Every structure is written in structure tokens, then in C-alpha cells.
Amino acid sequence: MTSLPRPPRLSVIVPAFQAEAYLPLTLEALDSSDLPRAEWELIVVDDGSHDRTSSVASRWADRVVTLPAPPRGPAYARNSGAQVARGDWLVFVDADVQVLPTTLRSVTEAIAAPGKLVALFGTYDANPPAPGIVSQFRNLHHRHVHLRCAGPVDTFWAGCGAVERTAFLAVGGFDATRFPRPQIEDIDLGYRLRDRGGEIRVDTRVQGAHLKNWTFRGGTVTDLFHRGVPWVQLLHERGGLIRDESLNLKSGERAKTLLVGAGVGSLAAGLVAGPPAFGVGIILLVVVVAWDLPALRWFARLRGWSFAACAAGLLLWYHFISGLSVVLGTLAYAWRQLRRSQGTTTRLVRRLTPLTPGE
């Protein structure tokens, strides 16, 4: 009797949309992994692309799942890959993330350790290939945050992260209905995994290079509308903004956000009230820059002080966008709650109102 092949330990799932330019780099890097190929399978999910994503993926993937157009978003694509996965652990790698040769082996070493680990994720490496100050800053800032928070966390990152398949299925996977486009579907998944008592860790051995070329406008839109505002709404639903102390939400980061908001407000007031208010605004912003000095020194070690000086301004902008996200996200949450309460009141009134003759 012929024995069935042993299922792989890992199922690597790459959601892809219009990704023919990135996939050769992404999939070649995975293929160069030092983890034996029998230990993992590669699944690429083509989310309704109309370029050569599927044909390019077929050169490396064990299986290409082709979804019909229109695209349903990375949450739906990852769930579709998980449905056909055979591994005990699902490793999610974005189509524009180029893993290191040691990345998959690092995942297997992490999940072999004793404990209640149900998910882990890593960080971008120290050499982002995309040129330009904005791209370099965003990817290095992402790395700095994850390095600083190495260890247990309450959330998840799907750019380069792994989830135990049974735990993933138990919480229903990514919420593709609420998040039909790239937003905070990974953060939401992490919260639900933690709610069940599982452990999630940042493991900095798990690394990959982010290939995306960011623009200032694109980064701002992403941070504000695709990440910040929906994250604030989700936090309100879970009981408030101050309960989460992971990653970007540590108390120090919140204080910086408040100071930058007050500083910008003082600068604006200074246009009317005169130099005193303007001076207060400058002082508050300088305080935040001084507070960020450890991060700026870290940037300087990697790219020099001229880059760190640019990073200081981009960090102030990042704190400002974080504060704006809190304001807009809180207003959006309050508006949704008001609409919901109005709908409940309307239904209650209709239920209690006696029917008129003829009805």
C-alpha cells in the first residue's frame, strides 16, 4: 500500500493583485529559503488580477488559486489560500515582501518552542530597496517599532507573519466582509486570537524587505484612512483607546501625539494671537523631537544625520496624522453609534405604536 505524502509543516500564502512586477522577486526569495522544500508549500492567490499575476506565480507556486474579478481584497484572498492549505501553520507573506533565506526556518524554530503561541510576525529588514526618503523612512520606522516591541503583543501583522491553522479557523480567519480592501484586517485578527487566550509574539528573526515605493501622499492616505481611522473605531468597539499598549499604541506614543496636536494648534493660534502662542507651538514640537531622539539616533546610525533630520520632520507628521486619526475615528464611531441608536428607537416606536384601522 502506497503511503500518502506527509503534509508540509508550513503553508506559505501570498495574496496578489496586479503583482506581476513584484512576484518574481518575492517568489524567487521564498524559493531560495534554506528550509527544505518538503517542509513547506507555496500557495499564491490571484485576487482578480488582469495582468500576468497567475502565469508568473505558476513558475514557483505549488498551487495558484485564481479568484474572479472584481478583487475582493487581501483578507478574502488569504482566507481563500487558507482553505486549500495543508500545513499546520499558515505563513502570510505580502506580494511585495522579499523574505530572507532564513525567514521560514526562523518561523519553524519559533513555533517549536514550548508555550501557547498561536501567531507570530516579524519586521522589515534594515535595507529597504525602494529609493527616496519617504520609502526609506516608512520601512525603517516600521522596523524600529517592531524591534522595540519584540516579544508578546496583542495584535498581528500579515505582511510577514504566521498563524496556527487551527487557531486561524477557530476565529473565522480574516474578516473579509468588514475589510474588503487593505486596512487593519490583520490587527483585527490578532485581537480575536488574543481574546481566545493565545499568545502572539514579535520575532525579529523573521524578516523581509519591503519592495513598495512610497510617496508622501500615498503614505499619508494609508496612515489616516486605511489604518488610523478604522483602528481607532475598532479600539472604541473593544472598550476604548487606552486599553491597548502594543506597537504604535504605547503610552509614550500617545503623549507625543497629544503634544504635536497641541503644538500645531498653538502654531495656528499664533497666526491670530501673535508670537507668544506661536512660540509655545514651536516649544512643544521641539519637545517631541527631543523625545524622539533615541529613534533619530537609530536612523542616523543606519543612514546618517542628514537622513535623521528628515526623519524628524516625518515623525512629527506621523504623530500629527495619528492624532487626526483619533479625532476622525472617534467622530466616525460616535456617528455610527448615533445612527444605530436612532434605528433602535425607530424600531421600538414602530413596535409599540398600535396599528391603525385597516392595517
Side-chain angles (χ1 to χ4, degrees):
M1 180 177 179
T2 303
S3 61
L4 294 176
R6 181 172 61 89
R9 180 73 166 131
L10 308 178
S11 292
V12 181
I13 299 172
V14 180
F17 172 68
Q18 299 295 99
E20 67 172 326
Y22 288 131
L23 279 180
L25 297 173
T26 301
L27 302 185
E28 179 65 37
L30 283 165
D31 195 56
S32 300
S33 172
D34 63 8
L35 185 69
R37 198 63 174 82
E39 295 294 315
W40 59 283
E41 64 177 348
L42 177 58
I43 301 168
V44 178
V45 184
D46 181 356
D47 187 19
S49 302
H50 49 79
D51 65 356
R52 297 177 57 252
T53 290
S54 287
S55 60
V56 170
S58 64
R59 294 170 54 190
W60 288 276
D62 297 299
R63 180 163 185 170
V64 178
V65 179
T66 303
L67 303 178
R72 302 285 294 274
Y76 187 89
R78 295 187 190 108
N79 288 344
S80 299
Q83 290 176 2
V84 300
R86 298 183 299 129
D88 297 327
W89 280 74
L90 310 175
V91 181
F92 299 106
V93 178
D94 280 352
D96 59 359
V97 172
Q98 191 175 26
V99 300
L100 303 185
T102 57
T103 296
L104 295 185
R105 181 178 295 278
S106 296
V107 171
T108 62
E109 291 173 355
I111 64 181
K116 297 182 179 180
L117 188 70
V118 297
L120 66 96
F121 60 94
T123 183
Y124 294 140
D125 70 359
N127 300 294
I133 290 175
V134 174
S135 291
Q136 291 285 307
F137 167 77
R138 289 184 63 84
N139 292 322
L140 289 175
H141 181 238
H142 180 283
R143 174 175 174 78
H144 181 261
V145 171
H146 285 210
L147 289 176
R148 187 185 60 188
C149 299
V153 289
D154 294 330
T155 184
F156 182 65
W157 175 55
C160 187
V163 185
E164 187 183 29
R165 186 173 65 167
T166 54
F168 181 85
L169 297 176
V171 299
F174 294 96
D175 189 342
T177 301
R178 179 169 184 174
F179 304 108
R181 62 178 186 272
Q183 286 188 312
I184 59 164
E185 68 279 355
D186 46 2
I187 294 173
D188 171 71
L189 174 67
Y191 286 153
R192 289 185 281 117
L193 289 170
R194 285 289 293 122
D195 288 344
R196 290 177 59 89
E199 180 185 347
I200 306 174
R201 298 185 66 86
V202 176
D203 191 319
T204 57
R205 297 173 298 173
V206 178
Q207 296 186 31
H210 196 199
L211 304 175
K212 183 170 182 173
N213 190 0
W214 286 101
T215 64
F216 180 78
R217 180 182 180 277
T220 298
V221 170
T222 294
D223 287 344
L224 182 59
F225 296 111
H226 299 165
R227 305 287 289 182
V229 170
W231 196 348
V232 169
Q233 291 179 269
L234 183 61
L235 288 172
H236 278 300
E237 293 173 10
R238 294 180 56 82
L241 294 174
I242 63 174
R243 294 183 59 186
D244 196 313
E245 283 281 340
S246 62
L247 294 180
N248 313 67
L249 299 174
K250 290 184 177 296
S251 55
E253 296 302 307
R254 292 170 175 150
K256 294 173 190 176
T257 296
L258 290 173
L259 288 174
V260 169
V264 171
S266 297
L267 291 177
L271 298 176
V272 177
F278 199 84
V280 170
I282 294 294
I283 291 172
L284 290 174
L285 296 183
V286 169
V287 167
V288 175
V289 171
W291 200 337
D292 279 330
L293 196 56
L296 297 177
R297 290 197 187 99
W298 184 82
F299 283 123
R301 286 196 298 271
L302 294 177
R303 295 293 186 273
W305 277 105
S306 59
F307 178 85
C310 296
L314 291 171
L315 274 173
L316 288 175
W317 182 250
Y318 170 79
H319 295 316
F320 174 74
I321 292 300
S322 297
L324 188 58
S325 297
V326 171
V327 173
L328 296 180
T330 299
L331 289 174
Y333 173 78
W335 175 251
R336 185 192 301 176
Q337 293 299 106
L338 178 61
R339 293 290 300 271
R340 185 174 298 168
S341 64
Q342 288 176 337
T344 301
T345 302
T346 301
R347 289 192 296 271
L348 181 60
V349 169
R350 288 176 178 172
R351 185 176 302 173
L352 296 178
T353 302
L355 295 176
T356 59
E359 288 188 314

